[in-house]
């Protein structure tokens, strides 16, 4: 069975890029367009790994991590944060919130897949 | 999906993001600096930057980055929005939009504007422009170069045979979704690995807390890889564990077991009990296995539980559909409407008894078909908001170019219009707004003398009115200078010198080809586009434009547009033995005049007296060149319409046969342009009927009137009409 990725990003472009890259690497990708959408899809998708953007309307990436780690979902699934910034304080904040790792935008396929494999083992 | 189509997606998405950006900036300039408004603006710029980065559009990324940094300071209250900052933000928004477009069509933006805006933005960030135009970016590069230096030092001193890694996870490591096994696997990719687990603190299975299995590890990695690669493996768990990585200069012992007992040394402060673990004597290969099975396969990552989704309070879900599909559907529905009309007519011809019930069901069918049609049309409908918001840029630019301060006020932004109409209105609106500022608004001194606000107001309003959409562009300027307009028109030979025209007619001279009142050619004029082009563009959308103006108070241009370009409500009439259709939207009322309401005028002209004023009667057949010389107006039915000059006219037709919805079929595409006719349709009996353009019919015949009449009665007509 293909490993499942839940990709949450409000940018259609990034969602498409993730889909193409990840499907090419043998993942099954479900996209969500903001935090609320992503968290609500989580139970049905039961992903092996979550990739989430930080800056999003309705619910941001920190909200997503919070909802998955605590709240109703309460899961320790690996969560990768997609960031444009490589600012250390942002990474620290994401880690504190419960993120497993991060991918810095713009990402290339190779590093995306390697990071994904590193945290999910998929 | 190829990278190119994702690129298309990016530029499509940019359009939406830029709309949101412009909307947000407009709200900010309206005084809303905090909360969701600034966040939305920030997000729009941020998303453009993110997408642009994926395609290596560096200039766009650089600009968006600086822009975004300023916005970030605004939203975190580090920077206060004053009018100057607002001005720069709006220009930055305009420029970002230019940059996106330039990247889309692979052209260049104006270097001067780019540099000066970057400088202005950096100015707000306190970055000295002397640092170069990309101050923010350079900082990042410096930072990365520094990181690289450190790596090099590691490499220089890194003539190692391997590493000893002591790794003791905190509970947070598991909570964040990490798997020690995956880290070991990643390390194994760098060399040969020996892992020993210290399970002293591990609780008996029954009491095991899966959220925090208290296990720590000593890892020996035989590898000549540089240390930064090892660091990279632990990058994500930094701060979530106790970790020490030491380079070993000598070969590790052959037997891992011999080396394991000094695990107690590895115990971190307050960490595991320094008693040698049970697994310590196992060979390394096996140790990995033991760890694998006992601790890791039952790791928290497998403990997900299915939960009910939280109630989603997001935006209403939307569906993106290829426009072509929608248009195909619209076309098919158009055919359905025609087909329904044909069936109705056939059934009527059979003459079924009225009790058959068929007519009721036929009526239902008609209603359903109409509902389907309205539903399909609604798919193409779009609010005018993005269009209106784009106009704020035009106001800013025109205001700069003319030195006349102006603000844009919009109303009815939620009004929905057909997508094509929205798209094709952009150019006419742009031109009219430029005109309103350039020609409509007075200069600052003149406004001061008139006691008006120094900042002129351009009002852009949209609303629905009886099946049409009305768009008004109003300025609070001096109003049209009719004497000058007439003078100009005469000097250009557009009207005879002796012509006496009603105010409305003078106003309409603005729409004549080759007319321009600008005595000094300003930056905005001289573009070779006149109001005649505006009028043509609006006519091609099946709309019309009219002017009202009051001296000293301002001018309003009103554009009336059909809600849809595919179907309209029409009145089916008989003209010279033919069936024709008049758009209902242009008919004010229908009149069967009594003898005392009709007045002969000139040789073969007629006037209708209605509610105290005289309205010229125009025979549609004559106007279309199908007139019968001795046709008696007293047998005709009159359709009272409002013409472009806001005056009334009565169109004479032989009779009215029906009122129904007709599908518009372009005539130009299939045949050619006929003066006075806007399009054609197919009626229930399968025959083609022409759709009359009332304004063109009036224009045809007033030209004819002017040729045959002397000026005096014509003035009388005009005066009567204006009443």
């Amino acid at each position: 069975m293909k490993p499942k990725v839940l990709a949450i990003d409000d940018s259609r472009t990034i969602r498409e890029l993730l889909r193409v890259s990840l499907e090419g690497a043998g993942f099954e990708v479900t996209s969500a367009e903001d935090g609320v959408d992503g968290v609500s899809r989580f139970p049905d998708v039961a992903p092996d790994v979550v990739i989430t953007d930080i800056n999003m309307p309705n619910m941001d990436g920190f909200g997503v991590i919070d909802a998955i780690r605590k709240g109703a979902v309460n899961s320790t699934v690996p969560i990768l944060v997609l960031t444009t910034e490589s600012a250390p304080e942002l990474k620290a904040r994401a880690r504190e919130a419960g993120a497993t790792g991060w991918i810095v935008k713009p990402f290339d396929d190779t590093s995306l897949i390697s990071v994904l494999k590193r945290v999910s083992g998929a | 999906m190829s990278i190119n189509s994702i690129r298309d997606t990016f530029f499509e998405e940019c359009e939406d993001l830029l709309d949101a950006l412009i909307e947000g900036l407009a709200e900010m300039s309206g005084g809303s600096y905090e909360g969701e408004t600034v966040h939305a603006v920030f997000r729009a710029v941020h998303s453009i930057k993110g997408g642009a980065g994926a395609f290596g559009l560096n200039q766009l990324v650089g600009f968006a980055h600086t822009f975004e940094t300023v916005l970030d300071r605004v939203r975190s209250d580090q920077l206060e929005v004053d009018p100057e900052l607002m001005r720069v933000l709006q220009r930055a928004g305009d420029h970002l939009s230019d940059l996106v477009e330039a990247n889309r069509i692979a052209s260049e933006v104006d270097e001067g504007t780019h540099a000066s805006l970057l400088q202005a933005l950096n100015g707000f960030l306190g970055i000295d422009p002397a640092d170069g135009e990309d101050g923010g970016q350079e900082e990042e590069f410096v930072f990365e170069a520094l990181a690289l230096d450190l790596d090099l030092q590691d490499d220089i001193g890194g003539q190692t045979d391997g590493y000893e890694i002591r790794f003791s996870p905190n509970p947070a490591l598991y909570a964040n979704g990490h798997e020690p096994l995956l880290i070991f696997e990643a390390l194994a990719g760098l060399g040969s690995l020996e892992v020993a687990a210290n399970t002293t603190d591990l609780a008996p299975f029954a009491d095991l807390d899966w959220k925090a299995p208290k296990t720590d590890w000593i890892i020996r990695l035989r590898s000549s890889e540089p240390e930064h690669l090892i660091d990279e493996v632990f990058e994500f768990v930094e701060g979530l564990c106790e970790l020490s990585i030491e380079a070993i200069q000598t070969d590790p012992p052959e037997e891992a077991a011999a080396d394991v007992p000094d695990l107690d040394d590895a115990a971190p402060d307050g960490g595991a009990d320094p008693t040698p673990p049970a697994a310590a004597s196992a060979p390394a290969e096996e140790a990995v296995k033991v760890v694998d099975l006992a601790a890791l396969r039952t790791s928290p990552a497998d403990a997900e539980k299915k939960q009910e989704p939280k109630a989603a309070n997001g935006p209403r879900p939307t569906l993106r559909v290829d426009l072509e599909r929608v248009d195909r559907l619209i076309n098919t529905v158009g055919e359905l409407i025609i087909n329904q009309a044909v069936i109705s007519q056939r059934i009527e011809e059979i003459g079924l008894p009225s009790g058959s019930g068929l007519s009721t069901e036929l009526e239902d069918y008609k209603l359903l078909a109409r509902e389907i049609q309205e539903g399909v049309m609604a798919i193409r409908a779009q609010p005018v908001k993005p269009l209106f918001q784009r106009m704020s840029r035009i106001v800013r630019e025109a205001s700069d170019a003319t030195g006349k301060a102006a603000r844009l006020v919009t109303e009815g932004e939620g009004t929905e219009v057909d997508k094509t109409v929205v798209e094709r209105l952009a150019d006419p609106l742009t031109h009219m707004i430029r005109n309103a500022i350039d020609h409509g608004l007075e200069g600052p001194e003149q406004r001061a003398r008139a006691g008006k606000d120094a900042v002129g107001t351009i009002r852009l309003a949209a609303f629905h009115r009886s099946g049409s959409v009305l768009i008004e562009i109003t300025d609070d300027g001096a109003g049209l200078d009719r004497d000058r307009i007439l003078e100009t028109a005469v000097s250009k030979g557009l009207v005879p010198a002796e012509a006496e025209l009603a105010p409305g007619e003078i106003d309409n001279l603005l729409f004549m080809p080759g007319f321009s009142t600008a005595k000094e050619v300003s930056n905005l004029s001289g573009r070779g586009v006149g109001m005649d082009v505006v009028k043509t563009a609006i006519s091609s959308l099946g709309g019309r434009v009219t002017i009202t103006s009051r001296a000293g108070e301002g001018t309003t241009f009103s554009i009336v547009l059909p809600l849809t370009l595919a179907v309209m409500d029409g009145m089916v009439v008989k003209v010279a033995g033919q069936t024709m259709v008049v758009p209902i939207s242009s008919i004010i009322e229908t009149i069967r005049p009594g003898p005392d309401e009709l007045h002969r005028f000139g040789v073969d002209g007629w006037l209708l007296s209605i509610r105290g004023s005289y309205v010229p009667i125009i025979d549609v057949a004559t106007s279309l060149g199908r007139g019968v010389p001795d046709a008696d107006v007293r047998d005709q039915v009159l359709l009272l319409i409002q013409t472009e000059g806001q005056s009334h006219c009565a169109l004479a037709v032989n009779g009215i046969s029906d009122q129904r919805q007709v599908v518009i079929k372009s005539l130009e595409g299939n045949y050619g342009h006929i003066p006075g006719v806007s399009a054609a349709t197919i009626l229930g009996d399968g025959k083609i009927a022409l759709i009359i353009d009332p304004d063109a019919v009036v224009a045809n015949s007033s030209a004819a009137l002017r040729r045959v009449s002397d000026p005096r009665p014509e003035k009388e007509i005009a005066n009567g009409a204006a009443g």
Side-chain angles (χ1 to χ4, degrees), chain A residues 11-13 16-17 40 43 58 69 72 75-76 84-85 95 98-100 102 106 118-119 121, chain B residues 1 10 13 46 49 53-54 68 175-178 182 232 236 238 300-301 304 307 315 320:
Chain A
S11 162
R12 209 149 41 95
T13 310
E16 284 304 330
L17 281 168
S40 72
N58 300 318
R69 290 284 182 252
S75 158
T76 51
T84 330
E85 313 309 329
R95 176 161 42 215
T100 312
W102 51 83
R118 178 137 56 103
V119 299
Chain B
M1 178 174 281
F10 168 64
E13 186 175 24
H46 185 77
K49 173 179 139 183
E68 171 196 278
N176 275 17
H178 289 285
L182 294 171
E232 215 167 74
F236 292 157
E238 196 193 320
E304 288 154 23
Q307 295 282 348
R320 278 180 188 266

Short mmCIF file of all heavy atoms in Angstrom, two decimals, chain A residues 11-13 16-17 40 43 58 69 72 75-76 84-85 95 98-100 102 106 118-119 121, chain B residues 1 10 13 46 49 53-54 68 175-178 182 232 236 238 300-301 304 307 315 320:
data_model
loop_
_atom_site.label_atom_id
_atom_site.label_comp_id
_atom_site.label_asym_id
_atom_site.label_seq_id
_atom_site.Cartn_x
_atom_site.Cartn_y
_atom_site.Cartn_z
N SER A 11 -1.83 27.67 -1.08
CA SER A 11 -1.44 28.01 -2.45
C SER A 11 -1.68 26.81 -3.36
O SER A 11 -1.15 25.72 -3.14
CB SER A 11 0.03 28.41 -2.49
OG SER A 11 0.50 28.32 -3.81
N ARG A 12 -2.48 27.05 -4.38
CA ARG A 12 -2.80 25.99 -5.33
C ARG A 12 -1.53 25.52 -6.02
O ARG A 12 -1.33 24.34 -6.30
CB ARG A 12 -3.78 26.56 -6.36
CG ARG A 12 -4.71 25.57 -6.95
CD ARG A 12 -6.05 26.20 -7.33
NE ARG A 12 -5.99 27.50 -7.93
CZ ARG A 12 -5.99 27.74 -9.26
NH1 ARG A 12 -5.99 26.73 -10.10
NH2 ARG A 12 -5.98 28.96 -9.71
N THR A 13 -0.65 26.49 -6.30
CA THR A 13 0.60 26.16 -6.98
C THR A 13 1.41 25.16 -6.15
O THR A 13 1.88 24.14 -6.67
CB THR A 13 1.43 27.44 -7.16
OG1 THR A 13 0.60 28.44 -7.73
CG2 THR A 13 2.63 27.18 -8.04
N GLU A 16 -0.14 21.73 -6.07
CA GLU A 16 0.10 20.98 -7.31
C GLU A 16 1.54 20.46 -7.35
O GLU A 16 1.79 19.33 -7.74
CB GLU A 16 -0.17 21.85 -8.54
CG GLU A 16 -1.65 22.06 -8.85
CD GLU A 16 -2.40 20.75 -9.03
OE1 GLU A 16 -1.78 19.76 -9.48
OE2 GLU A 16 -3.59 20.68 -8.71
N LEU A 17 2.48 21.34 -6.98
CA LEU A 17 3.88 20.93 -6.99
C LEU A 17 4.11 19.74 -6.07
O LEU A 17 4.78 18.78 -6.42
CB LEU A 17 4.78 22.09 -6.54
CG LEU A 17 5.05 23.16 -7.59
CD1 LEU A 17 5.69 24.38 -6.93
CD2 LEU A 17 5.97 22.61 -8.68
N SER A 40 -9.86 18.60 9.21
CA SER A 40 -11.11 17.85 9.04
C SER A 40 -10.92 16.64 8.13
O SER A 40 -11.63 15.66 8.25
CB SER A 40 -12.21 18.76 8.50
OG SER A 40 -11.96 19.05 7.15
N PRO A 43 -8.87 12.52 9.82
CA PRO A 43 -9.35 11.20 10.25
C PRO A 43 -9.65 10.27 9.08
O PRO A 43 -9.32 9.08 9.14
CB PRO A 43 -10.64 11.52 11.02
CG PRO A 43 -10.51 12.95 11.40
CD PRO A 43 -9.75 13.60 10.30
N ASN A 58 -7.90 31.00 7.99
CA ASN A 58 -8.75 30.15 8.85
C ASN A 58 -8.02 29.44 9.98
O ASN A 58 -8.37 29.59 11.14
CB ASN A 58 -9.53 29.12 8.03
CG ASN A 58 -10.43 29.79 7.03
OD1 ASN A 58 -11.07 30.78 7.35
ND2 ASN A 58 -10.46 29.30 5.81
N ARG A 69 -1.72 17.22 17.28
CA ARG A 69 -1.00 16.69 18.46
C ARG A 69 -1.90 16.59 19.68
O ARG A 69 -1.80 15.68 20.47
CB ARG A 69 0.18 17.60 18.79
CG ARG A 69 1.30 17.53 17.77
CD ARG A 69 2.11 16.27 17.93
NE ARG A 69 3.21 16.25 16.96
CZ ARG A 69 3.24 15.46 15.90
NH1 ARG A 69 2.27 14.60 15.68
NH2 ARG A 69 4.25 15.51 15.07
N ALA A 72 -8.83 16.89 19.24
CA ALA A 72 -9.63 15.71 18.93
C ALA A 72 -8.80 14.63 18.25
O ALA A 72 -9.04 13.44 18.44
CB ALA A 72 -10.80 16.12 18.04
N SER A 75 -2.63 12.71 17.67
CA SER A 75 -1.83 11.73 16.98
C SER A 75 -0.37 12.14 16.99
O SER A 75 -0.04 13.33 17.08
CB SER A 75 -2.32 11.61 15.54
OG SER A 75 -1.30 11.08 14.72
N THR A 76 0.53 11.16 16.92
CA THR A 76 1.94 11.48 16.83
C THR A 76 2.46 11.23 15.42
O THR A 76 3.63 10.93 15.21
CB THR A 76 2.77 10.67 17.83
OG1 THR A 76 2.42 9.30 17.68
CG2 THR A 76 2.50 11.11 19.25
N THR A 84 8.81 29.21 4.07
CA THR A 84 9.57 30.01 3.13
C THR A 84 10.79 30.54 3.84
O THR A 84 11.83 30.76 3.25
CB THR A 84 8.75 31.20 2.62
OG1 THR A 84 7.39 30.83 2.62
CG2 THR A 84 9.17 31.59 1.23
N GLU A 85 10.61 30.76 5.14
CA GLU A 85 11.71 31.33 5.93
C GLU A 85 12.55 30.20 6.47
O GLU A 85 12.04 29.15 6.82
CB GLU A 85 11.15 32.10 7.14
CG GLU A 85 10.03 33.05 6.85
CD GLU A 85 10.34 33.99 5.70
OE1 GLU A 85 11.52 34.33 5.53
OE2 GLU A 85 9.41 34.35 4.98
N ARG A 95 8.83 23.48 16.27
CA ARG A 95 9.21 22.28 17.03
C ARG A 95 8.50 22.26 18.38
O ARG A 95 8.02 21.24 18.83
CB ARG A 95 10.73 22.25 17.24
CG ARG A 95 11.14 21.07 18.09
CD ARG A 95 12.59 20.76 17.94
NE ARG A 95 13.40 21.96 17.91
CZ ARG A 95 14.48 22.10 17.17
NH1 ARG A 95 14.89 21.10 16.42
NH2 ARG A 95 15.17 23.21 17.20
N GLY A 98 5.22 21.02 18.13
CA GLY A 98 5.12 19.58 17.91
C GLY A 98 5.42 19.12 16.50
O GLY A 98 5.10 18.00 16.12
N ALA A 99 6.03 20.02 15.70
CA ALA A 99 6.38 19.62 14.34
C ALA A 99 7.53 18.63 14.38
O ALA A 99 8.39 18.68 15.25
CB ALA A 99 6.78 20.84 13.53
N THR A 100 7.52 17.70 13.42
CA THR A 100 8.56 16.70 13.37
C THR A 100 9.78 17.25 12.62
O THR A 100 10.92 16.98 12.99
CB THR A 100 8.04 15.43 12.66
OG1 THR A 100 6.78 15.10 13.23
CG2 THR A 100 9.00 14.28 12.84
N TRP A 102 11.01 20.11 9.01
CA TRP A 102 10.59 21.18 8.12
C TRP A 102 11.22 21.05 6.75
O TRP A 102 12.26 20.41 6.57
CB TRP A 102 10.91 22.55 8.71
CG TRP A 102 12.33 22.66 9.15
CD1 TRP A 102 13.41 22.96 8.38
CD2 TRP A 102 12.82 22.41 10.47
NE1 TRP A 102 14.54 22.93 9.12
CE2 TRP A 102 14.22 22.61 10.40
CE3 TRP A 102 12.23 22.06 11.67
CZ2 TRP A 102 15.03 22.43 11.52
CZ3 TRP A 102 13.05 21.91 12.78
CH2 TRP A 102 14.43 22.09 12.69
N PRO A 106 11.90 27.46 -1.64
CA PRO A 106 11.44 26.46 -2.60
C PRO A 106 12.17 25.13 -2.40
O PRO A 106 13.36 25.13 -2.12
CB PRO A 106 11.83 27.08 -3.94
CG PRO A 106 12.93 28.02 -3.64
CD PRO A 106 12.73 28.49 -2.25
N ARG A 118 12.95 10.46 5.77
CA ARG A 118 13.67 10.52 7.04
C ARG A 118 12.69 10.54 8.22
O ARG A 118 12.92 9.91 9.23
CB ARG A 118 14.55 11.77 7.05
CG ARG A 118 15.32 12.00 8.31
CD ARG A 118 16.75 12.43 8.03
NE ARG A 118 16.84 13.61 7.19
CZ ARG A 118 17.12 14.83 7.67
NH1 ARG A 118 17.31 15.00 8.95
NH2 ARG A 118 17.22 15.85 6.87
N VAL A 119 11.58 11.27 8.07
CA VAL A 119 10.68 11.36 9.22
C VAL A 119 9.59 10.29 9.22
O VAL A 119 9.06 9.96 10.26
CB VAL A 119 10.00 12.75 9.35
CG1 VAL A 119 11.05 13.83 9.55
CG2 VAL A 119 9.15 13.05 8.15
N GLY A 121 9.79 7.24 7.30
CA GLY A 121 10.26 5.89 7.02
C GLY A 121 9.60 5.27 5.81
O GLY A 121 9.82 4.12 5.49
N MET B 1 0.47 15.82 -15.01
CA MET B 1 0.54 17.29 -15.09
C MET B 1 2.00 17.73 -15.18
O MET B 1 2.83 17.30 -14.41
CB MET B 1 -0.12 17.89 -13.84
CG MET B 1 -0.04 19.38 -13.82
SD MET B 1 -0.97 20.08 -12.46
CE MET B 1 -2.63 19.99 -13.08
N PHE B 10 0.17 28.58 -11.30
CA PHE B 10 0.76 29.63 -10.47
C PHE B 10 0.27 31.01 -10.92
O PHE B 10 -0.16 31.82 -10.10
CB PHE B 10 2.29 29.54 -10.53
CG PHE B 10 2.98 30.75 -9.95
CD1 PHE B 10 2.84 31.06 -8.60
CD2 PHE B 10 3.75 31.58 -10.75
CE1 PHE B 10 3.47 32.17 -8.06
CE2 PHE B 10 4.37 32.70 -10.22
CZ PHE B 10 4.23 32.99 -8.88
N GLU B 13 -3.29 31.50 -10.11
CA GLU B 13 -3.45 31.73 -8.69
C GLU B 13 -3.01 33.14 -8.33
O GLU B 13 -3.61 33.79 -7.47
CB GLU B 13 -2.64 30.70 -7.91
CG GLU B 13 -2.89 30.80 -6.43
CD GLU B 13 -2.19 29.70 -5.65
OE1 GLU B 13 -1.19 29.17 -6.15
OE2 GLU B 13 -2.64 29.41 -4.54
N HIS B 46 2.95 36.69 0.44
CA HIS B 46 3.72 35.52 0.86
C HIS B 46 3.50 34.35 -0.10
O HIS B 46 4.45 33.66 -0.49
CB HIS B 46 3.29 35.15 2.28
CG HIS B 46 4.08 34.05 2.89
ND1 HIS B 46 5.34 34.24 3.38
CD2 HIS B 46 3.79 32.74 3.06
CE1 HIS B 46 5.79 33.09 3.85
NE2 HIS B 46 4.87 32.16 3.67
N LYS B 49 5.24 34.91 -3.32
CA LYS B 49 6.67 34.67 -3.15
C LYS B 49 6.97 33.15 -3.14
O LYS B 49 7.90 32.69 -3.81
CB LYS B 49 7.14 35.31 -1.83
CG LYS B 49 8.56 34.99 -1.45
CD LYS B 49 8.92 35.70 -0.16
CE LYS B 49 9.74 34.79 0.74
NZ LYS B 49 10.05 35.42 2.03
N GLY B 53 9.16 31.30 -5.96
CA GLY B 53 10.40 30.63 -5.59
C GLY B 53 10.50 29.27 -6.26
O GLY B 53 11.57 28.86 -6.71
N ALA B 54 9.37 28.59 -6.35
CA ALA B 54 9.36 27.25 -6.95
C ALA B 54 9.76 27.29 -8.42
O ALA B 54 10.24 26.30 -8.96
CB ALA B 54 7.98 26.62 -6.79
N GLU B 68 6.85 41.78 1.76
CA GLU B 68 6.28 40.95 2.82
C GLU B 68 6.88 41.31 4.18
O GLU B 68 6.20 41.32 5.20
CB GLU B 68 6.58 39.49 2.47
CG GLU B 68 6.27 38.49 3.52
CD GLU B 68 6.96 37.17 3.20
OE1 GLU B 68 6.42 36.42 2.40
OE2 GLU B 68 8.05 36.91 3.76
N ALA B 175 6.51 12.70 21.07
CA ALA B 175 5.27 13.48 20.89
C ALA B 175 5.30 14.22 19.56
O ALA B 175 4.26 14.47 18.95
CB ALA B 175 5.10 14.46 22.04
N ASN B 176 6.48 14.59 19.08
CA ASN B 176 6.59 15.30 17.82
C ASN B 176 6.62 14.37 16.61
O ASN B 176 6.89 14.80 15.50
CB ASN B 176 7.84 16.18 17.81
CG ASN B 176 7.60 17.52 18.47
OD1 ASN B 176 6.61 17.69 19.19
ND2 ASN B 176 8.46 18.48 18.21
N GLY B 177 6.39 13.12 16.84
CA GLY B 177 6.26 12.20 15.71
C GLY B 177 7.57 11.63 15.21
O GLY B 177 7.66 11.19 14.08
N HIS B 178 8.61 11.66 16.04
CA HIS B 178 9.88 11.08 15.61
C HIS B 178 9.97 9.61 15.95
O HIS B 178 9.40 9.16 16.93
CB HIS B 178 11.05 11.82 16.25
CG HIS B 178 11.23 13.20 15.71
ND1 HIS B 178 11.77 13.44 14.48
CD2 HIS B 178 10.90 14.41 16.23
CE1 HIS B 178 11.79 14.75 14.26
NE2 HIS B 178 11.25 15.36 15.30
N LEU B 182 14.08 5.37 12.60
CA LEU B 182 14.30 6.05 11.32
C LEU B 182 15.61 6.84 11.36
O LEU B 182 16.32 6.95 10.36
CB LEU B 182 13.14 7.00 11.01
CG LEU B 182 11.81 6.29 10.76
CD1 LEU B 182 10.68 7.31 10.66
CD2 LEU B 182 11.89 5.45 9.49
N GLU B 232 23.04 16.67 10.45
CA GLU B 232 21.84 16.83 9.65
C GLU B 232 20.79 15.77 9.99
O GLU B 232 19.60 16.06 10.01
CB GLU B 232 22.22 16.72 8.17
CG GLU B 232 21.41 17.61 7.26
CD GLU B 232 22.05 17.70 5.89
OE1 GLU B 232 21.94 16.69 5.15
OE2 GLU B 232 22.67 18.72 5.57
N PHE B 236 16.32 17.57 13.06
CA PHE B 236 14.94 17.76 13.50
C PHE B 236 14.71 17.44 14.97
O PHE B 236 13.72 17.84 15.54
CB PHE B 236 13.98 16.91 12.66
CG PHE B 236 13.88 17.36 11.23
CD1 PHE B 236 13.47 16.46 10.24
CD2 PHE B 236 14.20 18.66 10.86
CE1 PHE B 236 13.37 16.87 8.93
CE2 PHE B 236 14.10 19.07 9.54
CZ PHE B 236 13.69 18.17 8.57
N GLU B 238 16.95 18.07 17.37
CA GLU B 238 17.75 18.95 18.20
C GLU B 238 16.83 19.62 19.23
O GLU B 238 15.79 20.16 18.88
CB GLU B 238 18.39 20.00 17.29
CG GLU B 238 19.54 20.75 17.90
CD GLU B 238 19.90 21.96 17.06
OE1 GLU B 238 19.88 21.83 15.81
OE2 GLU B 238 20.17 23.02 17.64
N PRO B 300 4.71 5.44 19.34
CA PRO B 300 3.48 6.25 19.36
C PRO B 300 2.90 6.52 17.96
O PRO B 300 1.70 6.71 17.84
CB PRO B 300 3.94 7.57 19.98
CG PRO B 300 5.21 7.27 20.69
CD PRO B 300 5.82 6.09 20.03
N ALA B 301 3.75 6.50 16.96
CA ALA B 301 3.24 6.83 15.62
C ALA B 301 2.15 5.88 15.18
O ALA B 301 1.31 6.22 14.35
CB ALA B 301 4.39 6.80 14.61
N GLU B 304 -2.33 6.19 16.31
CA GLU B 304 -3.34 7.15 15.89
C GLU B 304 -4.73 6.59 16.10
O GLU B 304 -4.98 5.42 15.94
CB GLU B 304 -3.20 7.42 14.38
CG GLU B 304 -1.99 8.23 14.06
CD GLU B 304 -1.55 7.95 12.64
OE1 GLU B 304 -2.41 7.51 11.85
OE2 GLU B 304 -0.38 8.14 12.36
N GLN B 307 -10.87 9.79 14.64
CA GLN B 307 -11.71 10.73 15.38
C GLN B 307 -12.68 11.39 14.41
O GLN B 307 -12.40 11.50 13.23
CB GLN B 307 -10.85 11.81 16.02
CG GLN B 307 -9.90 11.30 17.08
CD GLN B 307 -10.57 11.04 18.41
OE1 GLN B 307 -11.71 11.45 18.60
NE2 GLN B 307 -9.89 10.37 19.31
N PRO B 315 -14.26 28.78 4.33
CA PRO B 315 -15.05 29.44 3.30
C PRO B 315 -15.92 28.41 2.59
O PRO B 315 -15.67 27.22 2.67
CB PRO B 315 -13.99 30.00 2.36
CG PRO B 315 -12.77 29.17 2.59
CD PRO B 315 -12.85 28.68 3.99
N ARG B 320 -13.56 24.54 -9.28
CA ARG B 320 -13.02 25.19 -10.47
C ARG B 320 -13.34 24.34 -11.69
O ARG B 320 -13.05 23.16 -11.70
CB ARG B 320 -11.51 25.36 -10.35
CG ARG B 320 -11.16 26.55 -9.54
CD ARG B 320 -9.67 26.71 -9.44
NE ARG B 320 -9.41 27.77 -8.50
CZ ARG B 320 -9.22 29.03 -8.85
NH1 ARG B 320 -9.21 29.38 -10.12
NH2 ARG B 320 -9.01 29.95 -7.94
#
